[in-house]
Amino acid sequence: MENEQVTLKKALKPIHLWAIGVGLVISGEYFGWNYGWGVSGTIGLLIATLVITLLYFTFIFSFTELTTAIPNAGGPFAYALKAFGPPGALVAGYATLIEFLFATPAIALALGSYVHFLYPSVAVLLASIISFILFTLINLLGIKEAAWFSLIMTLLAIGELILFIGVVAPHFKLETFMHNPMPFGWGGVFAAMPFAIWLYVCLEGVAMVAEEVKDEKKAIAKGYISALLTLTVLALAVMISVGGIAHWENLDNLDYPLPESIALVLGRENALTKLFASVGLFGLIASFHGIIITYSRQMYALARAGYLPSGLSKVSRKQQVPYLALIAGAILGIVALLLLDTMKLVIISTIGAVVVYVISMLSLFKLRSSHPEMERPFKAPFYPYFPAIALLLALVALMAMMYFYPWLGLIFFCGLAIISGVFYATGMHRKIITAAVAAE
């Protein structure tokens, strides 16, 4: 049997999807969001987070319609392909890869920072690179094994956040949280949007394992919605708790705000501080591991459809995982973490995310119009209002990021222009259209 004929293994249940969904995102509660304080203050970031929470609720309830109607490892790429053909699929596929490929090195740097916090003799970059190698190897073992690992890490991460909130909540002071709450006014709210998005970014990555789900249509909806509810409670609880421990200026530029908060409350040498920093790795590991799963499936789907080199669609015979996509993603991630700092990686990743949300909601509207007969096991509630709200808020967030972080936005869109030029110059769009017609 040729490698190209091997298919992905169906082994995932709702509990796995919940774990993958929460695991993909939960590192956002551990670091990254606190950079938003530096551009908005505590109240500014809280307002931005509430707006972005509304974006994600309306988006996920709408996006689930697409995921259950088209359970494809390509996720947004597959929906845009059906709705808008190769040009739409190119935009969606590129944006999704940017979102996941840049989120992973950001988390790797946070992992390295946590290890360095515990063991100052270990360099951040060394720990980050070792993390990439180690978790790529774990993913090569197979999706069921990887999903169970994700479930265990996610449960440990949630338990740790609950422990964290329990330790710091008694020390919360409202006057501390309200210190210099909006130093940059309403402009700061818009500048904080990428860091608010970081609290939820990559949740839609559950779509990338849709082909590996048993009874995928009901399971996917259950996994998405339960994961979103879990993340909302954790995100708001952690942000508010940390904001009441110390003035935000002391925590807005760290990759390890949670152990630093514990250290401020209990002392840096306290045993619980050391314990928390150690188990704090679980949340980062859960996201890091989960995003490796999803970006490899996205690369696999793009290669299978002809948008990336065909070798990346090869699946191992025994473990049934896209092994070349896993290896290629790790190499790209290591290069990115060597070139960019955490804040820049977070912003580029979230720019990719909001472009994904825009093209996905446009795909939903288009498919409702062009394919009314399509089977939709889960329909977006309050249509067309939910997807319209998600689309509007995603566009607002995109414009805000382009205004406040123009150079990073320029990098993103220059990359898209180059990829598009190559795509059309090589005639790949004609090949894909011909293949799609032949398939029908």
Side-chain angles (χ1 to χ4, degrees), residues 133-197:
I133 296 170
L134 176 61
F135 291 103
T136 298
L137 291 173
I138 291 173
N139 270 276
L140 288 169
L141 295 176
I143 185 60
K144 188 173 182 179
E145 293 76 9
W148 275 111
F149 181 83
S150 182
L151 174 59
I152 293 167
M153 289 296 103
T154 299
L155 290 173
L156 289 170
I158 291 172
E160 182 197 12
L161 287 179
I162 293 171
L163 171 65
F164 170 80
I165 294 165
V167 170
V168 301
H171 302 272
F172 174 87
K173 293 181 180 179
L174 183 59
E175 58 267 30
T176 301
F177 187 81
M178 295 302 295
H179 161 75
N180 200 15
M182 290 183 67
F184 307 104
W186 286 99
V189 173
F190 290 96
M193 282 191 168
F195 309 105
I197 291 171

Side-chain angles (χ1 to χ4, degrees), residues 294-368:
T294 52
Y295 74 53
S296 64
R297 272 55 178 181
Q298 178 70 180
M299 294 176 78
Y300 161 82
L302 288 168
R304 184 175 61 182
Y307 288 78
L308 289 176
S310 60
L312 294 174
S313 67
K314 289 187 176 181
V315 175
S316 57
R317 291 193 181 116
K318 185 176 180 182
Q319 285 78 20
Q320 294 177 258
V321 295
Y323 62 99
L324 290 180
L326 282 164
I327 295 169
I331 293 170
L332 291 171
I334 291 171
V335 171
L337 70 83
L338 292 172
L339 296 177
L340 297 170
D341 62 30
T342 304
M343 186 174 180
K344 292 184 179 68
L345 290 167
V346 166
I347 293 169
I348 293 178
S349 174
T350 53
I351 290 173
V354 293
V355 171
V356 170
Y357 306 157
V358 169
I359 193 71
S360 296
M361 292 301 93
L362 291 174
S363 298
L364 176 59
F365 284 119
K366 178 67 164 57
L367 291 172
R368 280 284 189 112

